[in-house]
Structure formats: C-alpha cells, structure tokens
Amino acid sequence: MTDAEFERIEEELGLKLPEVYRKIIRDLPDELLDWPPIEVNNRRHEDFLLDVDEVLSVQSRVRRRMRSAFPEKGFVFGHSGENYWIFDASADDPEVQFVSPSLGMVMGKRANLAEHLERIKLDHEDAWAKERRRNEAGDAATLSPNELIEEARQ
C-alpha cells in the first residue's frame, strides 16, 4: 500500500493507523501472498487485507455485524476464513484480537502485529511443507479413508 492509500483509509474511517502497521504492510514479503490450495492444511489460510477497497468494505461489513461489540477504534487488517484480525488503531503498538462476526464477539489475542506476522510466516512455511509432502505422496495423498483401508488390506 502507498502512503496515499493509507491516508485514504484513515480519512474514510476517521482514525490514524499506527506506524508499525504501515511498516509491516509496506515490507510484507511477496511470498506471503502465495499460499497452496486451502484443502492442503484443512483450514483457510490467514491473509493481510492489502486492497484499499477491500479494507474499507470489510470495516463496514464487520462493524455492521458486530455492532457495539466492535471496539470504537478497532481496525480490521486481516482474515482467517470468515473471521477477522483487528487491532486498536489508537495504540502505538496494538495487541491483535481475533473477532468472529457470526458470533458477534471479540475472542483471542496475540501480543502485537509483529508477533502476528511471525505466526503467519510459520503457518505459510508449514502449509507449503504439507503441499510438498502431498505432491511427493502422489495419488496416495488423495485417497478417501475407505480407499486407504482397502489399499492396506491388499
């Protein structure tokens, strides 16, 4: 994201984004944009929201669904499946919180954005390692449980 895009977000949402968030988004490694197919690790991967229009749209959608449960200066910066990661934009080094709009609640926390980024990097490495193992296993990696049992009996 460019400075102009950060400024657009701030202007439209009426908040100031912490410098630590700006730096992480500016310096986000390109390889974190490329994940293996979702079915590899049986869960949706986590992504930072990087498109300004998507960032703004998600803010509106999550705020509307969560109503008063959403923190006043909360900012949605990423997602994990249908749930989202937020931080308090009024803090210099904000803690990261996990929110579930479908449940209407703020849940678990991580220490800060830097820790969150490190966890995503590890998850990314793990997802690609699983993809490599699946590719190396070939057809055996895609057998159903019943097919595996039948193959083992032979």
Side-chain angles (χ1 to χ4, degrees), residues 10 27 40 53 67 72 75-77 79 98 105-106 118 120 127 130 133 136:
E10 290 174 337
D27 299 343
V40 168
D53 292 325
R67 298 187 183 122
E72 182 181 343
F75 178 76
V76 179
F77 70 92
H79 69 91
F98 188 67
M105 56 191 294
V106 177
E118 289 308 310
I120 288 177
K130 288 177 182 177
R133 287 193 301 271
E136 290 167 2

mmCIF file of all heavy atoms in Angstrom, residues 10 27 40 53 67 72 75-77 79 98 105-106 118 120 127 130 133 136:
data_model
loop_
_atom_site.group_PDB
_atom_site.id
_atom_site.type_symbol
_atom_site.label_atom_id
_atom_site.label_comp_id
_atom_site.label_asym_id
_atom_site.label_seq_id
_atom_site.Cartn_x
_atom_site.Cartn_y
_atom_site.Cartn_z
ATOM 1 N N GLU A 10 -7.465 6.175 6.459
ATOM 2 C CA GLU A 10 -7.573 6.985 7.676
ATOM 3 C C GLU A 10 -8.672 8.041 7.543
ATOM 4 O O GLU A 10 -9.467 8.232 8.473
ATOM 5 C CB GLU A 10 -6.228 7.661 7.969
ATOM 6 C CG GLU A 10 -5.162 6.679 8.414
ATOM 7 C CD GLU A 10 -3.798 7.318 8.575
ATOM 8 O OE1 GLU A 10 -3.538 8.369 7.956
ATOM 9 O OE2 GLU A 10 -2.989 6.751 9.332
ATOM 10 N N ASP A 27 6.392 -3.603 4.013
ATOM 11 C CA ASP A 27 7.506 -4.554 3.911
ATOM 12 C C ASP A 27 7.062 -6.011 3.805
ATOM 13 O O ASP A 27 7.897 -6.908 3.895
ATOM 14 C CB ASP A 27 8.430 -4.409 5.127
ATOM 15 C CG ASP A 27 9.040 -3.022 5.241
ATOM 16 O OD1 ASP A 27 9.023 -2.271 4.244
ATOM 17 O OD2 ASP A 27 9.534 -2.687 6.337
ATOM 18 N N VAL A 40 -5.102 -28.187 1.447
ATOM 19 C CA VAL A 40 -3.842 -28.803 1.863
ATOM 20 C C VAL A 40 -3.749 -28.915 3.370
ATOM 21 O O VAL A 40 -3.387 -29.933 3.907
ATOM 22 C CB VAL A 40 -2.631 -28.003 1.319
ATOM 23 C CG1 VAL A 40 -1.345 -28.453 1.967
ATOM 24 C CG2 VAL A 40 -2.554 -28.160 -0.179
ATOM 25 N N ASP A 53 -9.904 -0.874 -1.281
ATOM 26 C CA ASP A 53 -11.364 -1.007 -1.355
ATOM 27 C C ASP A 53 -11.849 -2.172 -0.512
ATOM 28 O O ASP A 53 -12.887 -2.077 0.147
ATOM 29 C CB ASP A 53 -11.807 -1.164 -2.814
ATOM 30 C CG ASP A 53 -11.588 0.108 -3.619
ATOM 31 O OD1 ASP A 53 -11.751 1.216 -3.052
ATOM 32 O OD2 ASP A 53 -11.236 0.005 -4.808
ATOM 33 N N ARG A 67 -21.792 -4.628 15.630
ATOM 34 C CA ARG A 67 -22.417 -3.502 16.321
ATOM 35 C C ARG A 67 -21.589 -3.028 17.518
ATOM 36 O O ARG A 67 -20.430 -2.729 17.385
ATOM 37 C CB ARG A 67 -23.839 -3.863 16.717
ATOM 38 C CG ARG A 67 -24.704 -4.158 15.513
ATOM 39 C CD ARG A 67 -26.149 -4.359 15.899
ATOM 40 N NE ARG A 67 -26.898 -4.699 14.718
ATOM 41 C CZ ARG A 67 -27.599 -5.801 14.599
ATOM 42 N NH1 ARG A 67 -27.687 -6.638 15.591
ATOM 43 N NH2 ARG A 67 -28.263 -6.044 13.498
ATOM 44 N N GLU A 72 -14.346 0.681 19.551
ATOM 45 C CA GLU A 72 -14.562 2.001 18.951
ATOM 46 C C GLU A 72 -13.483 2.362 17.927
ATOM 47 O O GLU A 72 -13.784 2.854 16.852
ATOM 48 C CB GLU A 72 -14.610 3.072 20.042
ATOM 49 C CG GLU A 72 -14.869 4.454 19.501
ATOM 50 C CD GLU A 72 -14.886 5.518 20.578
ATOM 51 O OE1 GLU A 72 -15.019 5.166 21.770
ATOM 52 O OE2 GLU A 72 -14.777 6.702 20.223
ATOM 53 N N PHE A 75 -9.737 -1.740 14.043
ATOM 54 C CA PHE A 75 -9.404 -1.728 12.619
ATOM 55 C C PHE A 75 -9.162 -3.168 12.171
ATOM 56 O O PHE A 75 -8.329 -3.868 12.726
ATOM 57 C CB PHE A 75 -8.149 -0.882 12.369
ATOM 58 C CG PHE A 75 -7.728 -0.870 10.925
ATOM 59 C CD1 PHE A 75 -8.419 -0.103 9.992
ATOM 60 C CD2 PHE A 75 -6.656 -1.638 10.496
ATOM 61 C CE1 PHE A 75 -8.035 -0.103 8.656
ATOM 62 C CE2 PHE A 75 -6.265 -1.635 9.164
ATOM 63 C CZ PHE A 75 -6.953 -0.869 8.238
ATOM 64 N N VAL A 76 -9.929 -3.610 11.186
ATOM 65 C CA VAL A 76 -9.777 -4.963 10.636
ATOM 66 C C VAL A 76 -8.620 -4.924 9.639
ATOM 67 O O VAL A 76 -8.655 -4.171 8.678
ATOM 68 C CB VAL A 76 -11.065 -5.422 9.920
ATOM 69 C CG1 VAL A 76 -10.880 -6.822 9.345
ATOM 70 C CG2 VAL A 76 -12.260 -5.368 10.859
ATOM 71 N N PHE A 77 -7.602 -5.765 9.868
ATOM 72 C CA PHE A 77 -6.443 -5.750 8.977
ATOM 73 C C PHE A 77 -6.182 -7.085 8.289
ATOM 74 O O PHE A 77 -5.344 -7.171 7.394
ATOM 75 C CB PHE A 77 -5.178 -5.323 9.726
ATOM 76 C CG PHE A 77 -4.692 -6.344 10.710
ATOM 77 C CD1 PHE A 77 -3.749 -7.291 10.324
ATOM 78 C CD2 PHE A 77 -5.166 -6.372 11.999
ATOM 79 C CE1 PHE A 77 -3.300 -8.245 11.216
ATOM 80 C CE2 PHE A 77 -4.727 -7.318 12.900
ATOM 81 C CZ PHE A 77 -3.786 -8.258 12.508
ATOM 82 N N HIS A 79 -7.739 -11.542 7.744
ATOM 83 C CA HIS A 79 -8.800 -12.521 7.978
ATOM 84 C C HIS A 79 -8.229 -13.927 8.047
ATOM 85 O O HIS A 79 -7.134 -14.212 7.603
ATOM 86 C CB HIS A 79 -9.878 -12.438 6.905
ATOM 87 C CG HIS A 79 -9.416 -12.909 5.561
ATOM 88 N ND1 HIS A 79 -9.535 -14.213 5.143
ATOM 89 C CD2 HIS A 79 -8.829 -12.251 4.535
ATOM 90 C CE1 HIS A 79 -9.038 -14.322 3.920
ATOM 91 N NE2 HIS A 79 -8.602 -13.143 3.532
ATOM 92 N N PHE A 98 -8.764 -11.421 17.726
ATOM 93 C CA PHE A 98 -9.470 -12.252 16.765
ATOM 94 C C PHE A 98 -10.960 -12.020 16.973
ATOM 95 O O PHE A 98 -11.435 -12.080 18.103
ATOM 96 C CB PHE A 98 -9.111 -13.717 17.029
ATOM 97 C CG PHE A 98 -9.604 -14.679 16.004
ATOM 98 C CD1 PHE A 98 -9.104 -14.669 14.713
ATOM 99 C CD2 PHE A 98 -10.552 -15.632 16.342
ATOM 100 C CE1 PHE A 98 -9.540 -15.582 13.762
ATOM 101 C CE2 PHE A 98 -10.989 -16.549 15.401
ATOM 102 C CZ PHE A 98 -10.487 -16.529 14.114
ATOM 103 N N MET A 105 -18.550 -11.558 18.577
ATOM 104 C CA MET A 105 -17.680 -11.368 19.735
ATOM 105 C C MET A 105 -16.205 -11.263 19.367
ATOM 106 O O MET A 105 -15.767 -11.785 18.350
ATOM 107 C CB MET A 105 -17.892 -12.485 20.746
ATOM 108 C CG MET A 105 -17.706 -13.881 20.205
ATOM 109 S SD MET A 105 -18.271 -15.188 21.322
ATOM 110 C CE MET A 105 -17.153 -15.034 22.668
ATOM 111 N N VAL A 106 -15.486 -10.547 20.230
ATOM 112 C CA VAL A 106 -14.031 -10.449 20.143
ATOM 113 C C VAL A 106 -13.485 -11.601 20.969
ATOM 114 O O VAL A 106 -13.899 -11.820 22.100
ATOM 115 C CB VAL A 106 -13.533 -9.099 20.706
ATOM 116 C CG1 VAL A 106 -12.025 -9.035 20.681
ATOM 117 C CG2 VAL A 106 -14.136 -7.947 19.911
ATOM 118 N N GLU A 118 4.891 -12.984 12.428
ATOM 119 C CA GLU A 118 5.776 -14.152 12.574
ATOM 120 C C GLU A 118 4.967 -15.443 12.559
ATOM 121 O O GLU A 118 5.382 -16.435 11.964
ATOM 122 C CB GLU A 118 6.609 -14.045 13.858
ATOM 123 C CG GLU A 118 7.676 -12.974 13.780
ATOM 124 C CD GLU A 118 8.568 -13.088 12.553
ATOM 125 O OE1 GLU A 118 9.083 -14.188 12.276
ATOM 126 O OE2 GLU A 118 8.740 -12.065 11.853
ATOM 127 N N ILE A 120 2.110 -15.931 11.022
ATOM 128 C CA ILE A 120 1.665 -16.134 9.645
ATOM 129 C C ILE A 120 2.807 -16.686 8.796
ATOM 130 O O ILE A 120 2.606 -17.576 7.971
ATOM 131 C CB ILE A 120 1.074 -14.841 9.059
ATOM 132 C CG1 ILE A 120 -0.285 -14.577 9.726
ATOM 133 C CG2 ILE A 120 0.928 -14.932 7.548
ATOM 134 C CD1 ILE A 120 -0.950 -13.302 9.309
ATOM 135 N N ALA A 127 2.278 -24.685 5.598
ATOM 136 C CA ALA A 127 1.325 -25.010 4.527
ATOM 137 C C ALA A 127 2.056 -25.492 3.273
ATOM 138 O O ALA A 127 1.630 -26.460 2.636
ATOM 139 C CB ALA A 127 0.461 -23.794 4.208
ATOM 140 N N LYS A 130 3.467 -29.024 3.811
ATOM 141 C CA LYS A 130 2.401 -30.013 3.648
ATOM 142 C C LYS A 130 2.069 -30.226 2.174
ATOM 143 O O LYS A 130 1.831 -31.354 1.743
ATOM 144 C CB LYS A 130 1.150 -29.587 4.422
ATOM 145 C CG LYS A 130 1.305 -29.709 5.910
ATOM 146 C CD LYS A 130 0.079 -29.215 6.641
ATOM 147 C CE LYS A 130 0.280 -29.313 8.137
ATOM 148 N NZ LYS A 130 -0.862 -28.779 8.870
ATOM 149 N N ARG A 133 4.779 -32.424 0.680
ATOM 150 C CA ARG A 133 4.599 -33.832 1.090
ATOM 151 C C ARG A 133 3.433 -34.475 0.333
ATOM 152 O O ARG A 133 3.512 -35.630 -0.082
ATOM 153 C CB ARG A 133 4.379 -33.921 2.603
ATOM 154 C CG ARG A 133 5.639 -33.672 3.405
ATOM 155 C CD ARG A 133 5.492 -34.056 4.868
ATOM 156 N NE ARG A 133 4.428 -33.362 5.565
ATOM 157 C CZ ARG A 133 4.559 -32.203 6.183
ATOM 158 N NH1 ARG A 133 5.709 -31.563 6.188
ATOM 159 N NH2 ARG A 133 3.527 -31.659 6.808
ATOM 160 N N GLU A 136 4.585 -35.223 -3.149
ATOM 161 C CA GLU A 136 5.507 -36.362 -3.151
ATOM 162 C C GLU A 136 4.762 -37.676 -2.953
ATOM 163 O O GLU A 136 5.169 -38.708 -3.482
ATOM 164 C CB GLU A 136 6.564 -36.185 -2.064
ATOM 165 C CG GLU A 136 7.554 -35.071 -2.370
ATOM 166 C CD GLU A 136 8.403 -34.668 -1.176
ATOM 167 O OE1 GLU A 136 8.262 -35.279 -0.087
ATOM 168 O OE2 GLU A 136 9.202 -33.723 -1.322
#
